[in-house]
Amino acid sequence: MSRRLLQLVIPVTPERRMFRIHDPAVDPDAPGGPLPPVGALISTNREQLWVGSLQEDIDVRLVLEEWDGAPPPCSDAWDEEAKGSVYLRGQLSISMGLAGTAVHGLRLAGGVGDYSVRVYAGNRDVVTRRYSALFDRHLNPLSDEFQQEKRALEGLERYLVQLWRESLAAPGYGPADALVGLALVPCALAEAGPDGRPLDWLGVLGTVVDRALALGVA
């Protein structure tokens, strides 16, 4: 049974309707990057994975997970799914373009090598429709009413990115024995309240340090 080694839950500000996951040694703005994921959920090359979003002005919610093997699928809990691979030197960064860097040099238990990646997305169309409806109502974008309703959409478009080293899925990869029983089924993160917002979103920022718990340092 695969175990989750790390989970990071953060808001991300998409630039040009995407955010970029890459090896920290790679400049995502340099020539030779993937094609923009227009009409697709992801676009990849050897050392980068770009995730397409439908937003430019609304923050989205990203859950990033590292596993010691292929995690259980949970397609039914999400609207879209895509698979790819990326080469990482034991770390990853998440770039938001002009909005800055969401994560820089996050260390991975899998070390250097090729990582399989599974990406899920939810509520993309919902947020787009609701945001467009604000303009259809001819609200002043600078008004308190507009800004309040815009803030209510933050984090509603959500993504789950899972990655793992296939070649290290055997026993002995990371603190596997200590992690038994600690990994949560990732589909639980898709649970939502009556308004469609994930139940665990408010107040959730930072890393769920399963790996640290296993090592006794947290």
Side-chain angles (χ1 to χ4, degrees), residues 59 122-123 126-127 130 152-158 195-198:
D59 284 358
N123 293 334
V126 172
V127 176
R130 292 186 183 180
L153 298 177
E154 304 282 354
L156 186 57
E157 180 174 303
R158 51 202 174 94
D195 62 350
R197 181 175 297 277

Side-chain angles (χ1 to χ4, degrees), residues 1 13 20 22 30 35 38 44-45 58 61 79 85 92 97 103 115 127 137 145 152 157 160 164 171 175 199 215:
M1 178 181 176
T13 303
R20 299 172 288 184
H22 59 92
L35 294 174
V38 178
T44 66
N45 67 5
I58 303 288
R61 174 182 185 262
D79 301 328
S85 63
L92 67 76
V103 174
Y115 284 77
V127 176
R137 289 160 53 191
E145 181 182 3
E157 180 174 303
L160 171 62
W164 66 95
L199 293 175
L215 295 173

Side-chain angles (χ1 to χ4, degrees), residues 22-117:
H22 59 92
D23 187 280
V26 174
D27 180 1
D29 294 315
L35 294 174
V38 178
L41 183 54
I42 66 172
S43 179
T44 66
N45 67 5
R46 175 67 169 156
E47 298 173 314
Q48 299 186 62
L49 182 144
W50 294 4
V51 181
S53 170
L54 297 186
Q55 308 310 316
E56 292 181 288
D57 301 319
I58 303 288
D59 284 358
V60 303
R61 174 182 185 262
L62 170 63
V63 179
L64 176 73
E65 297 181 342
E66 182 186 6
W67 289 69
D68 66 356
C74 55
S75 304
D76 293 343
W78 298 83
D79 301 328
E80 301 175 62
E81 176 186 0
K83 299 176 182 178
S85 63
V86 63
Y87 178 82
L88 299 169
R89 298 172 181 85
Q91 300 182 45
L92 67 76
S93 295
I94 302 174
S95 171
M96 303 183 296
L98 295 177
T101 300
V103 174
H104 179 72
L106 178 68
R107 291 191 176 276
L108 303 172
V112 179
D114 291 309
Y115 284 77
S116 295
V117 184

Side-chain angles (χ1 to χ4, degrees), residues 180-192:
V180 173
L182 287 179
L184 301 176
V185 177
C187 298
L189 293 167
E191 294 180 0

Side-chain angles (χ1 to χ4, degrees), residues 1 3 23 25 30 42 66-67 73 82 131 135 147 179 186 198 203 213 215 217:
M1 178 181 176
R3 288 168 288 266
D23 187 280
I42 66 172
E66 182 186 6
W67 289 69
Y131 191 48
F135 292 94
Q147 293 299 319
L179 281 168
L213 289 172
L215 295 173
V217 297

